[in-house]
Amino acid sequence: MEPRISIVYITELAAYLEARGIERDHLLAGTGITPSLLDDPRATVSRFEVHRVLARASDLSPPDFALRLGHRMRPGHHGFLGHAMMCARTLRESLKTLERFAGIRGIPASYRLVETGQGGELVFDLTMAVGRQRRSYLEWALMIALAPSLQHSRPREAGPGRVRLDFPSPGHRAVYEEFIDCPIEFDAGCNAVDFSSAALATRLVNSNAAVREFCERRCELLLAGLDSGEGLADRVRNRLLEGPPPFPAAATIARSLHMSERALRRRLQSEGTSFRILVQDVRRHLARRYLQDGGLTVDEVSRLLGYSEPAAFSRAFKRWTGQSPSACRVPPRLSLIHISEPT
């Protein structure tokens, strides 16, 4: 079972674009999401439905839309996760909360705080293949990571020391400099936000132990809900879907589930499956999704699924489905542009 994403993100995007003259019906056309769904704050959508909406937004709006959307979001947009981050005692605690619970909102990014003697870096990357929308997704993920350190009421010393991004400098670089008060490096080879030790230890202005404890408890319950299913196999599938390929080893999955690798394999066997079979199941599922969603070549899908060469992926896909990957691939959707007939 894949993580679901709150409709609130799409609702906020639609409101942002409506203010710029783009109607929600136009934004949602062909995405599988109906305008009426945006009126239900408890609704959720799949990551692939969100991807189609963001692809439409990219076609219809300026290239800085994801950065501006992420900047305007407030803690409430991220539910219990957002409130737990804002009410943390320190910036370090806030970032660790994001690292642990990002999955409960279906945010298609993973975060990891790596600390050293001089401070720490929050490393982040996407957990799904998004093709040409990669920069927009990373901009959205970046603004979520920066939310506690960029809030208007924060102590100045809690700000980031440097932002590093692995893509080229975009044409809207000035928007980055407007929102982020620190050096920004592009083509950096990684995606990370650097903080000093003093910044990580800074007490947040909105710190509230009671609210944080309540919100984190709810986050724990939601996380447990993601892990719960018909058995251990469902939980392993969820772990495999959480991060970008290459898929983690059985030992890594076992540690994340607080058990030994031997116990993991024994329990999977009792459920009539194995770790190898589950990896293949996830690969097959993602292969169909990537090929049918369009925007990715067969070679790109092969690399995303961890195959050493496209030929190996093609053989595996044909064994699963009886068809070649090319036969199942849906061409990228074309933008709906009105072209007048020549007079």
Side-chain angles (χ1 to χ4, degrees):
M1 181 172 53
E2 291 185 42
R4 302 281 292 179
I5 300 179
S6 171
I7 195 67
V8 169
Y9 296 127
I10 303 300
T11 302
E12 187 66 17
L13 173 61
Y16 169 76
L17 294 181
E18 276 187 317
R20 284 149 184 79
I22 300 171
E23 296 298 327
R24 63 167 58 182
D25 289 9
H26 194 33
L27 171 66
L28 300 177
T31 65
I33 300 176
T34 61
S36 60
L37 193 63
L38 273 58
D39 298 324
D40 179 4
R42 297 192 176 190
T44 61
V45 291
S46 74
R47 292 196 288 186
F48 291 92
E49 288 171 325
V50 171
H51 179 61
R52 287 193 284 269
V53 174
L54 288 181
R56 285 283 294 162
S58 180
D59 289 340
L60 297 170
S61 57
D64 61 0
F65 80 93
L67 195 65
R68 292 189 179 278
L69 175 66
H71 183 261
R72 67 179 263 157
M73 285 185 169
R74 297 296 176 259
H77 291 115
H78 306 304
F80 290 114
L81 167 64
H83 289 298
M85 289 177 65
M86 290 300 112
C87 294
R89 288 169 295 186
T90 64
L91 180 61
R92 175 186 289 104
E93 189 175 79
S94 180
L95 296 177
K96 294 297 286 185
T97 298
L98 175 62
E99 176 184 331
R100 184 175 185 187
F101 296 118
I104 69 171
R105 297 293 288 178
I107 295 170
S110 61
Y111 300 87
R112 184 165 56 96
L113 181 61
V114 182
E115 295 193 61
T116 65
Q118 291 73 42
E121 59 178 11
L122 184 71
V123 182
F124 63 98
D125 207 346
L126 302 183
T127 58
M128 64 180 288
V130 293
R132 64 188 178 91
Q133 303 302 322
R134 185 171 184 273
R135 190 197 66 215
S136 294
Y137 273 89
L138 285 171
E139 289 177 340
W140 181 28
L142 170 66
M143 298 314 294
I144 293 173
L146 289 175
S149 59
L150 295 184
Q151 58 178 310
H152 296 303
S153 58
R154 67 163 171 93
R156 182 172 179 80
E157 60 270 21
R162 179 178 59 163
V163 170
R164 289 173 287 156
L165 299 165
D166 68 3
F167 50 82
S169 177
H172 55 279
R173 178 170 184 157
V175 180
Y176 281 86
E177 295 167 352
E178 175 188 348
F179 293 160
I180 305 171
D181 185 20
C182 71
I184 304 169
E185 298 179 10
F186 295 92
D187 279 326
C190 69
N191 300 295
V193 184
D194 297 344
F195 296 96
S196 67
S197 296
L200 292 175
T202 301
R203 189 175 182 87
L204 298 184
V205 173
N206 295 322
S207 176
N208 186 310
V211 173
R212 177 185 60 81
E213 183 179 355
F214 172 78
C215 291
E216 285 205 349
R217 192 174 299 134
R218 294 302 299 267
C219 288
E220 291 278 8
L221 292 173
L222 291 168
L223 188 62
L226 283 181
D227 284 342
S228 65
E230 295 179 357
L232 180 63
D234 291 315
R235 298 170 66 190
V236 172
R237 286 191 189 94
N238 285 337
R239 287 292 193 269
L240 291 169
L241 285 163
E242 280 177 1
F247 297 111
T252 303
I253 296 287
R255 283 195 300 271
S256 74
L257 296 173
H258 309 291
M259 64 177 65
S260 68
E261 180 181 354
R262 182 179 179 182
L264 174 75
R265 293 186 183 278
R266 187 172 60 248
R267 287 183 54 184
L268 288 176
Q269 185 178 15
S270 71
E271 294 183 14
T273 187
S274 69
F275 185 76
R276 182 183 63 81
I277 290 173
L278 293 177
V279 170
Q280 292 304 310
D281 284 348
V282 170
R283 273 179 162 166
R284 180 167 60 248
H285 171 76
L286 291 178
R288 286 183 176 276
R289 284 285 199 171
Y290 293 160
L291 292 168
Q292 292 174 1
D293 201 57
L296 293 172
T297 67
V298 172
D299 285 3
E300 289 171 333
V301 173
S302 172
R303 288 196 299 272
L304 286 168
L305 295 179
Y307 284 91
S308 58
E309 57 182 18
F313 167 61
S314 295
R315 287 194 298 270
F317 191 85
K318 193 165 186 178
R319 187 170 64 251
W320 298 333
T321 67
Q323 294 180 292
S324 69
S326 299
C328 291
R329 182 173 178 267
V330 176
R333 293 178 179 81
L334 299 177
S335 302
L336 300 178
I337 303 174
H338 176 71
I339 302 178
S340 300
E341 293 290 337
T343 56

